[in-house]
Amino acid sequence: ATGGYTIKEIPIEDNAPKAPDYNTPLVFSSASLSLTEEQKSALQAKAAGLRAQLAKDSSNYTAWLALGSAYKTAGDYAQTAKIWTYLSLAWPADAIALGNLGDLYMNFIRDYPKAEASYLGAIRNNPRQTNAYRNLFQLYSDLYTPRNSAAENILKKGIQNNPEALDLYVLLARYYRDSGRTAEARAQYDMAIVIA
């Protein structure tokens, strides 16, 4: 009301993640050698249908997720990672894309720190997703051990968040058995019996 000021328009920064090019052709790698020509043609047709869906609605989460799976089946893991990383950024509360990324990094790309981060993100977004606990346990016990108690601790956390998950008790019991911790193994087997 008294003057002495100016109004300056400031452009809004667009922090939305940039979508990868969904028209990137499927490239069949050596990982897809077991696919027949008929299966490759079917996969190409499926990818074309998904691209058509994304051309109509580029925010179609399900189409993006399935397109990532098509690239994974073809053995194009780099494009798969781009798509599922985009999904994890565009839908930050989602656990599915992060779980898929965990599997991709653990079993196909073999980047264990990224696999761990992806699975932990999936658990953060959905603590009831027991697959992520199981897969992290496998990662920690067989492939990548950032600290000695990581495998045990992830199962304990999984049980805490999913007290009805029978298989997590059994995995923990087997872990204790294999570590020579018989009394703890017996206690976990007893809990599994009660739940069953």
Side-chain angles (χ1 to χ4, degrees):
T2 59
Y5 63 88
T6 58
I7 297 175
K8 180 179 177 186
E9 188 174 324
I10 300 173
I12 297 174
E13 290 184 29
D14 184 8
N15 291 329
K18 185 176 182 328
D21 181 6
Y22 56 78
N23 286 313
T24 300
L26 278 180
V27 176
F28 293 94
S29 75
S30 60
S32 66
L33 289 177
S34 63
L35 295 177
T36 66
E37 288 305 315
E38 185 178 311
Q39 290 170 322
K40 288 179 181 180
S41 294
L43 194 58
Q44 291 280 19
K46 179 181 178 181
L50 294 167
R51 289 184 185 112
Q53 290 179 37
L54 290 168
K56 290 179 186 173
D57 178 10
S58 63
S59 65
N60 184 333
Y61 171 87
T62 306
W64 276 114
L65 193 65
L67 186 60
S69 294
Y71 282 105
K72 182 181 174 202
T73 303
D76 188 345
Y77 303 140
Q79 188 64 15
T80 304
K82 285 179 191 176
I83 290 173
W84 287 343
T85 299
Y86 163 69
L87 287 178
S88 72
L89 297 172
W91 285 268
D94 176 61
I96 296 171
L98 285 168
N100 287 357
L101 274 171
D103 173 64
L104 181 71
Y105 286 127
M106 182 170 117
N107 297 310
F108 298 91
I109 296 175
R110 305 220 187 324
D111 185 332
Y112 301 135
K114 284 185 179 179
E116 177 187 35
S118 298
Y119 282 134
L120 289 173
I123 289 169
R124 180 188 63 245
N125 288 351
N126 182 2
R128 306 279 299 156
Q129 187 183 52
T130 57
N131 280 339
Y133 297 102
R134 267 187 239 104
N135 293 333
L136 259 177
F137 171 73
Q138 181 187 356
L139 179 70
Y140 290 152
S141 59
D142 298 340
L143 304 169
Y144 172 72
T145 308
R147 58 191 180 286
N148 290 337
S149 59
E152 176 182 357
N153 289 341
I154 199 62
L155 287 178
K156 286 180 176 180
K157 184 176 181 179
I159 289 169
Q160 178 184 355
N161 291 327
N162 303 278
E164 73 293 341
L166 174 67
D167 62 322
L168 297 182
Y169 290 95
V170 173
L171 279 174
L172 187 56
R174 289 178 183 160
Y175 175 78
Y176 286 146
R177 178 199 65 201
D178 295 344
S179 302
R181 297 160 66 179
T182 309
E184 291 166 291
R186 186 175 292 116
Q188 292 304 314
Y189 280 129
D190 288 343
M191 283 298 299
I193 290 167
V194 169
I195 291 167

